[in-house]
Amino acid sequence: MGPDKHTVRPSGRGILATAVTVVCAVTVLAAPGTAFAAPSPTPSPTASASAGASATLPPDKDLEAVREKLDDLYHDAAVATDAYNAAEEAAQKQSAEIVDLAKKIVKGQQKLDELKERAGRAAAAQYRTGGLPDTAQLILSDSPSEFLDGAGRVLQGQRATKALIRELTQTQQDLKQYAADAASQWNRLEAGRKAKAAAKKKIKQRIAAAEKLESTLEKKQKERLAELEREAAYKAQTAWLDTGILDEIHTKASAAGKKAVAFATAQLGKPYVWGAEGPDSYDCSGLTSQAWASAGQPIPRTSEEQWKQLKHIDAKDMRPGDLIIYYDDASHVAMYIGDGAIIQAPRPGRTVSIGGAGSMPILGVVRPDA
């Protein structure tokens, strides 16, 4: 009989160390943005080196303020990216609906022309019989047999005329509604175009501001800033693991979940580009939506809609392939891959990488194939 599982289960930090070993074995994960490993302790500088460093490095509290400002700017860019992607998705749907309505209008107009032609032929036939309606001609008939024979034809003709009038009226109403719907879709498309342009402008502004701020830092400052980023992510991840969450998670990936994880893993090292959904670059929800599309399960394009539309599950029940939504505004999403790790497209300047599931504020977990 094997040892009790609780006596051999590694602690949160033990699991973390194991994951770090795996991560370090994959060269593409050495890119910035992989906030899963514990930060390396800063070596003690020599006296001369310390004097030189103090001349170039500002206090950590100043760099921490820079880090927080960068986080805010990139978060704003992520929110705007979600808005841009939503507008893009809506525009595609509206364009398709406009095309569909245009086809209906053409088809309806052809039907209306045909009905009018039928009505014209009926009017011409009536003119040829002296302009008298069928009922009047029947009454004036001297032949009882003609009267009886014609009675059925009159009733049929009346029903056909009424049906023709109803069909003409309905077709005209349909065409009017199609035109109104098309106009409404055009207005929505235009409003979406403006929203998309505004989101694009905001994204560029926030990224430019972040890049400008980063450009003011010297090499040593950038290195120390990267250390602070790793430390903050590690601290958050450790706090999450110390809740004992991994002791509760035992669920294995579904068949579709395995496919989604395999797709996401194959994208490791590819750059983050806002609005991108592959194959050469991705934003956060572009990666998750394409991963699940490859598994045969289409999901919403944006992290906000993924949060709204997909089934919410308890974190203790999550399995590889599930999506973790971050921040109160659902502005970021990553894919859980097991052992407390995620695959994500983090932000501009970073690449698709592995990180700690608890390294950012978790809003909740959703399951695409529930």
Side-chain angles (χ1 to χ4, degrees):
M1 181 175 177
D4 182 81
K5 65 180 181 179
H6 295 293
T7 63
V8 298
R9 173 175 289 277
S11 66
R13 290 181 178 81
I15 291 171
L16 205 57
T18 302
V20 170
T21 302
V22 175
V23 169
C24 291
V26 185
T27 56
V28 293
L29 301 184
T34 304
F36 195 67
S40 303
T42 305
S44 300
T46 61
S48 59
S50 177
S54 62
T56 57
L57 281 178
D60 275 1
K61 65 177 183 179
D62 293 340
L63 281 175
E64 180 63 22
V66 171
R67 186 188 70 80
E68 291 176 358
K69 179 62 177 176
L70 287 172
D71 282 350
D72 289 342
L73 289 169
Y74 283 123
H75 176 264
D76 286 350
V79 173
T81 297
D82 227 30
Y84 177 91
N85 291 335
E88 174 69 15
E89 188 175 35
Q92 291 175 356
K93 290 181 180 178
Q94 288 156 1
S95 297
E97 289 175 6
I98 288 172
V99 170
D100 186 55
L101 285 168
K103 290 178 180 178
K104 288 181 178 180
I105 290 172
V106 171
K107 198 172 182 179
Q109 188 60 55
Q110 291 173 342
K111 182 178 180 181
L112 185 63
D113 293 342
E114 181 185 340
L115 292 171
K116 286 181 177 179
E117 185 179 348
R118 282 170 54 190
R121 289 199 301 268
Q126 188 178 45
Y127 177 78
R128 287 195 298 272
T129 58
L132 291 174
D134 292 339
T135 50
Q137 293 183 50
L138 189 60
I139 292 171
L140 295 175
S141 174
D142 294 330
S143 171
S145 61
E146 286 183 5
F147 182 88
L148 292 173
D149 291 342
R153 291 196 299 272
V154 168
L155 289 174
Q156 289 178 354
Q158 287 175 339
R159 285 195 292 268
T161 300
K162 288 180 180 178
L164 178 61
I165 291 172
R166 282 198 303 271
E167 198 169 3
L168 269 166
T169 302
Q170 184 61 53
T171 302
Q172 288 173 327
Q173 290 175 348
D174 288 346
L175 281 170
K176 185 177 180 180
Q177 186 60 51
Y178 294 154
D181 289 346
S184 177
Q185 290 295 348
W186 274 114
N187 290 336
R188 290 179 186 174
L189 191 62
E190 177 61 16
R193 185 192 66 76
K194 292 179 180 178
K196 183 177 170 182
K200 183 177 181 179
K201 182 179 180 181
K202 184 176 181 180
I203 294 167
K204 290 188 172 183
Q205 286 176 339
R206 296 301 186 271
I207 292 176
E211 290 175 344
K212 183 177 181 180
L213 179 56
E214 289 178 312
S215 71
T216 63
L217 301 176
E218 297 177 1
K219 182 180 179 181
K220 288 185 178 296
Q221 292 173 329
K222 290 179 180 178
E223 290 172 352
R224 181 55 187 152
L225 179 63
E227 287 180 10
L228 291 175
E229 290 176 352
R230 289 192 292 271
E231 288 170 4
Y234 177 70
K235 182 179 179 180
Q237 173 73 355
T238 302
W240 183 70
L241 290 174
D242 284 348
T243 64
I245 184 68
L246 291 191
D247 293 326
E248 301 181 34
I249 301 174
H250 304 292
T251 313
K252 294 182 179 180
S254 64
K258 289 179 181 178
K259 291 179 182 178
V261 170
F263 178 94
T265 303
Q267 314 313 311
L268 287 168
K270 293 184 178 180
Y272 176 103
V273 174
W274 63 267
E277 47 188 333
D280 300 320
S281 57
Y282 296 88
D283 62 20
C284 67
S285 57
L287 176 65
T288 55
S289 61
Q290 287 302 305
W292 272 101
S294 75
Q297 183 72 42
I299 63 173
R301 169 64 176 88
T302 67
S303 57
E304 184 177 346
E305 289 304 313
Q306 289 171 7
W307 174 243
K308 286 181 180 178
Q309 297 184 35
L310 301 180
K311 183 178 181 180
H312 293 201
I313 63 167
D314 196 294
K316 65 181 178 61
D317 297 322
M318 69 179 172
R319 64 193 185 193
D322 287 343
L323 305 181
I324 303 180
I325 309 296
Y326 294 95
Y327 303 104
D328 290 342
D329 51 11
S331 58
H332 187 66
V333 60
M335 180 177 292
Y336 184 66
I337 58 174
D339 291 330
I342 54 172
I343 287 182
Q344 62 169 334
R347 65 168 174 82
R350 305 290 169 85
T351 61
V352 176
S353 52
I354 290 177
S359 60
M360 297 168 284
I362 296 175
L363 176 61
V365 182
V366 294
R367 177 163 294 163
D369 60 338

